Amino acid sequence: MTEHDITLTVNGTEHELTVESRTLLAHALRDELGYTGTNIGCESSLCGACTVHLDGDAVKSCTVLAVQADGAEVDTVEGLDTGGEFHPIQEAFQEEHGLQCGYCTPGMMMTAVDFLSENPDPSREEIREGLEGNLCRCTGYQNIVNAVESAAEKMNTGAVADGGEVRWPDEGGEGE
Ligand code: FES
Ligand code: FES
């Protein structure tokens, strides 16, 4: 069994850990580092529950080996809020009832944040296409689309999405 010493910066905190060659990023985050907000549904790239940001891009962390992420910046759902204040996507999921059991929700939100950073004013059809890699067994998707639409409005009026981070206007953002 070959082991590797790697470094992951998760939500801004640097971690050094030792992983096996076969260890998936999802397992390293959950089992080695305790970021259990990253859920695992299928381990085969089908459900999207394990979605995190890797150097700013949404990826399914069950499809990435931990050694491949050595040296990377990883953002998980635990890093969405700012000092206890909900990210607009979290607010929107709460307000629009975008979840039932909640199992898909971390992955949905991480995918949505990356999607909105690239398409800040999407149509409902574009939202559906943007989330097509994330499955939900509970909601029927309608309220999830509502939530992402609402988050886009919030971010366009009060803040600017920037690679998964939100810069509020008084912090140098470019909100309208
Ligand atoms: S657990 Fe990664 S896509 Fe389902
Ligand atoms: S809320 Fe249950 S799987 Fe989406």
Side-chain angles (χ1 to χ4, degrees):
M1 171 172 52
T2 307
E3 294 193 325
H4 309 266
D5 295 326
I6 66 170
T7 302
L8 298 176
T9 301
V10 185
N11 303 331
T13 301
E14 189 173 296
H15 300 274
E16 293 180 355
L17 62 160
T18 302
V19 296
E20 295 178 26
S21 302
R22 64 181 179 173
T23 302
L24 300 174
L25 178 58
H27 289 297
L29 289 170
R30 289 179 55 86
D31 303 337
E32 303 296 328
L33 300 179
Y35 293 99
T36 53
T38 300
N39 286 332
I40 296 175
C42 67
E43 283 191 324
S44 53
S45 193
L46 293 172
C47 74
C50 65
T51 303
V52 300
H53 295 178
L54 186 63
D55 288 333
D57 293 323
V59 299
K60 294 175 177 175
S61 61
C62 74
T63 66
V64 179
L65 293 169
V67 291
Q68 291 177 296
D70 184 20
E73 303 262 348
V74 180
D75 294 303
T76 70
V77 70
E78 289 95 337
L80 276 181
D81 75 292
T82 306
E85 291 228 352
F86 272 172
H87 185 288
I89 195 76
Q90 294 174 303
E91 274 184 7
F93 266 74
Q94 182 184 49
E95 291 167 1
E96 301 293 335
H97 307 288
L99 63 148
Q100 288 183 25
C101 80
Y103 203 84
C104 70
T105 312
M108 284 285 181
M109 293 197 297
M110 297 309 287
T111 298
V113 169
D114 183 35
F115 168 72
L116 290 175
S117 74
E118 294 176 7
N119 186 352
D121 189 21
S123 66
R124 293 180 67 82
E125 190 57 35
E126 287 171 334
I127 292 170
R128 288 183 180 278
E129 286 174 11
L131 297 180
E132 67 184 0
N134 292 69
L135 303 182
C136 176
R137 302 192 66 167
C138 304
T139 64
Y141 299 98
Q142 188 73 13
N143 286 358
I144 291 174
V145 175
N146 293 347
V148 176
E149 193 172 41
S150 169
E153 286 170 18
K154 289 173 184 287
M155 294 164 88
N156 287 333
T157 54
V160 177
D162 180 15
E165 294 186 338
V166 173
R167 289 179 291 115
W168 297 93
D170 62 2
E171 294 173 351
E174 297 168 4
E176 297 170 8

